[in-house]
Amino acid sequence: MAIANDVIRKQGDTYPIEVTILKDSGAPIDLTGASALVLGVAVTETITVPDEPELLLNGIVSEAESGKVNFNITAQEADVLAFGDYYSEIQFEQGGYIITTETFRYRVKGQIVF
């Protein structure tokens, strides 16, 4: 089973979202050869067709052996999420398998400076 760290960001920030994907034991998953990394963020824990998540971002492995993935986010994408708590998952392909992390929290905090 794959798990990921919670994400906490200020509303509107556009620096890359960095997530570490881990095994149940807490050790990082080696992402060597992983592809098609997608981060989904939604208001509800489960989504049914035809609904879609509020945000879908493509990612790149930044440190394979450490399980680190970066998701770039534009200003327009960052503005989609109001402050509050959301549900997230990351899905990727590796070794001929599709792997989806357990659901984790994506928190957007309000800001003072605009």
Side-chain angles (χ1 to χ4, degrees):
M1 182 179 307
I3 59 176
N5 62 285
D6 289 346
V7 172
I8 301 174
R9 297 176 62 86
K10 287 284 196 167
Q11 188 176 19
D13 282 354
T14 59
Y15 62 90
I17 300 163
E18 184 178 82
V19 179
T20 304
I21 300 176
L22 308 165
K23 299 175 186 175
D24 284 342
S25 66
I29 290 181
D30 185 344
L31 295 173
T32 301
S35 62
L37 292 117
V38 177
L39 168 69
V41 181
V43 173
T44 58
E45 193 167 0
T46 20
I47 296 177
T48 56
V49 176
D51 295 334
E52 293 186 16
E54 277 60 39
L55 188 62
L56 280 176
L57 299 173
N58 293 311
I60 56 167
V61 175
S62 58
E63 295 177 30
E65 292 179 3
S66 300
K68 294 192 183 292
V69 181
N70 282 346
F71 297 90
N72 290 326
I73 184 167
T74 65
Q76 183 179 9
E77 290 166 331
D79 284 345
V80 167
L81 301 177
F83 71 91
D85 287 343
Y86 297 87
Y87 298 94
S88 300
E89 293 176 351
I90 296 172
Q91 190 173 80
F92 60 97
E93 294 178 21
Q94 186 178 37
Y97 298 102
I98 295 174
I99 301 166
T100 305
T101 66
E102 288 298 307
T103 304
F104 58 96
R105 183 175 65 175
Y106 187 107
R107 173 176 278 178
V108 177
K109 296 169 83 175
Q111 61 185 24
I112 296 170
V113 179
F114 292 97

